[in-house]
DNA sequence: TGCTTATGAATGATTATGATTGATTTTGAA
DNA sequence: TTCAAAATCAATCATAATCATTCATAAGCA
């Protein structure tokens, strides 16, 4: 990775979050700690950021987060954590389905340089995917104006063109009896079919989704692995009986 | 490989990614490191790029794709004129295909309130369509990073879901013998199929395209109507023998 | 032929990097 | 508050990568 690429990456990250830890940058760039330190020192001299103990932060911490909507900002830390873990499952050469939604969106930066092929129904993912030079395909379909997701029969049908190594889905509800649920039936249909076309299927959710039931059924717990930031102790046991579960914590 | 070819290659790469390593260029061009260095030095002197340790990067790394907006600004007045006329052909209740591209993009504001259904392969149209509350479907397919068009077999296949009253296409070349042409074969395939699926097909072009031949054949003049801002007198006659032509002037 | 230009290899110089060290700061428990 | 452990830091050094420069060869052209 080029020096300037790293610098750019750091500054971009600081556009989306107030501060960042050195350790996170080490993981992201797979450069050494020393190198990241030097990067931060240089960028500080250029007044591009401010160094703090353990990391760096934006010059103007009050500046609003431009590129992220409110929903995306909610549970952002958790989502990023989950997303990073999910992305770590992706191997070089994998073909994956990336569901529309703000949680899966967080995966994109972590996919950089993995030589992965992405199919998505999330219009808002496209820009980020392009920014990180990730080979991408979009499903067709009706454009849902609220979520910018592509849905409908055309969306599910265009999935038939593909087979995935892994798919990564977002949901709104996780419930022992009702399984995974989401508000929109058409989106649910896309998720379901994508899961069926994958060798393995991962559901990403932050803890707030647990014990929720949303309207449209996606599929049962047993049909996929769940990646979540934390869970009540008893829930872990109960869910483990039905699904592969990975609880990611900082 | 010719020197200028290498230069062109480097600049094209930097349109799609913000930086590139010397080693990558060595592999791509199978020229020596020295040669690439010299190339980069020369291009830097021409202000076409900025050298950095290990490679080179775009002059303005933040401005992602100047090519698109530049292109849009060019012949803007003519394009708008053509687009307005084209939009006037669209009737309430029509289902239309709107090709990717900057000329067709100009049609969108004029479609407002027409109760029209739009299918498009132009990612950059989506926002404008949503802004004007126009019911829209997107074709699927591979995302061409330069033009943000959806192309490839998945794109043409997803067209099969639809039938259009009218389709509106952009092209790069209009030529008496070679018909309509465009630089990218995959984009040409989408245009062609969309035209076939339409009851009537309109090609939008400003005068600068006349007498050009681009690489990929779309179809013959006889297969569609041409909407253009102006043409030499003799051309009008000759083309009229082959196609329906509408010359729009202010 | 003689002239120019483009190229590739070789050189020592410069820059970037990662590991190590001991100093400094933070954290959390007493 | 104080203290000790842990984390983070700046400084240093050796190594690796990259750089500008030079020179010799090859290719194109009058």
């Amino acid at each position: 990775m080029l020096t300037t690429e790293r610098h750019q990456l750091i500054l971009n990250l600081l556009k989306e979050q107030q501060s960042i830890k050195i350790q996170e940058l080490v993981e992201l760039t797979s450069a050494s700690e020393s190198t990241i330190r030097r990067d931060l020192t240089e960028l500080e001299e250029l007044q591009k950021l401010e160094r703090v103990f353990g990391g760096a932060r934006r010059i103007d911490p009050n500046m609003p987060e431009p590129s992220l909507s409110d929903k995306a900002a909610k549970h952002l830390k958790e989502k990023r954590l989950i997303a990073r873990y999910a992305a770590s499952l992706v191997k070089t050469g994998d073909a994956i389905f990336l569901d529309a939604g703000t949680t899966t969106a967080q995966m994109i930066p972590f996919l950089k340089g993995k030589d992965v092929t992405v199919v998505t129904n999330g219009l808002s993912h496209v820009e980020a995917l392009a920014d990180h030079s990730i080979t991408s395909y979009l499903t067709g379909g009706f454009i849902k104006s609220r979520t910018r997701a592509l849905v409908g029969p055309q969306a599910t049908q265009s999935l038939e063109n593909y087979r995935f190594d892994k798919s990564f889905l977002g949901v709104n509800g996780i419930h022992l009896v009702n399984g995974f649920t989401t508000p929109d039936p058409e989106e649910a249909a896309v998720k379901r079919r994508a899961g069926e076309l994958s060798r393995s299927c991962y559901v990403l959710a932050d803890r707030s989704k647990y014990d929720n039931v949303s309207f449209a059924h996606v599929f049962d717990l047993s049909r996929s692995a769940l990646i979540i930031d934390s869970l009540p102790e008893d829930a872990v046991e109960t869910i483990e009986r039905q699904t592969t579960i990975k609880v990611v914590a900082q």
Side-chain angles (χ1 to χ4, degrees), chain A:
Chain A
M1 188 176 223
L2 241 39
T3 308
T4 54
E5 282 180 321
R6 265 193 335 263
H7 288 193
Q8 197 60 49
L9 174 70
I10 294 170
L11 294 177
N12 284 340
L13 283 170
L14 283 179
K15 278 182 191 160
E16 300 194 351
Q17 49 189 99
Q18 297 231 119
S19 61
I20 185 135
K21 290 191 213 160
I22 288 192
Q23 288 310 322
E24 291 181 304
L25 291 172
V26 168
E27 285 181 41
L28 266 172
T29 60
S30 52
S32 75
E33 209 177 286
S34 302
T35 301
I36 300 295
R37 281 182 205 294
R38 270 185 283 254
D39 287 343
L40 295 185
T41 309
E42 287 170 36
L43 290 171
E44 185 178 40
E45 277 165 14
L46 295 171
Q47 301 275 326
K48 303 278 194 175
L49 53 76
E50 185 186 353
R51 290 205 56 177
V52 295
F53 199 88
R57 71 171 181 185
R58 250 195 250 148
I59 290 284
D60 180 4
N62 299 321
M63 197 171 75
E65 317 208 342
S67 64
L68 290 182
S69 66
D70 288 350
K71 192 180 170 191
K74 218 170 176 179
H75 303 284
L76 179 60
K77 271 188 122 167
E78 291 85 349
K79 285 177 178 177
R80 193 173 294 255
L81 187 75
I82 297 160
R84 173 166 10 160
Y85 178 79
S88 75
L89 300 173
V90 178
K91 305 293 175 224
T92 296
D94 270 358
I96 69 173
F97 176 80
L98 200 63
D99 191 19
T102 52
T103 310
T104 44
Q106 298 297 322
M107 288 179 64
I108 296 173
F110 299 113
L111 293 177
K112 183 162 197 170
K114 285 215 176 190
D115 184 29
V116 59
T117 302
V118 173
V119 177
T120 181
N121 68 328
L123 265 178
S124 25
H125 291 169
V126 171
E127 185 132 353
L129 287 165
D131 282 351
H132 293 88
S133 349
I134 296 168
T135 309
S136 316
Y137 295 79
L138 207 57
T139 68
F142 181 72
I143 303 161
K144 276 198 64 179
S145 55
R146 205 176 50 78
T147 60
R148 289 287 161 99
L150 294 166
V151 297
Q154 298 91 347
T156 44
Q157 195 212 318
S158 63
L159 285 176
E160 305 299 329
N161 291 317
Y162 310 100
R163 296 295 181 275
F164 308 111
D165 293 305
K166 305 179 172 80
S167 61
F168 297 92
L169 311 180
V171 296
N172 258 56
I174 304 166
H175 190 272
L176 291 178
V177 175
N178 296 288
F180 297 112
T181 48
T182 202
D184 186 297
E186 295 194 298
E187 288 193 40
V190 173
K191 290 177 206 289
R192 195 181 313 129
R193 191 67 189 128
E196 288 167 359
L197 292 168
S198 295
R199 294 203 300 152
S200 43
C201 174
Y202 301 89
V203 171
L204 280 61
D206 62 80
R207 189 198 162 149
S208 70
K209 310 291 168 60
Y210 176 67
D211 217 21
N212 265 8
V213 180
S214 194
F215 175 56
H217 182 71
V218 178
F219 41 58
D220 301 324
L221 293 181
S222 62
R223 303 281 296 284
S224 74
L226 171 64
I227 303 175
I228 197 164
D229 54 332
S230 77
L231 268 185
E233 284 254 350
D234 56 330
V236 174
E237 273 183 53
T238 327
I239 294 192
E240 261 182 352
R241 250 177 267 134
Q242 299 195 43
T243 179
T244 310
I245 175 180
K246 171 69 189 182
V247 178
V248 191
Q250 32 253 347

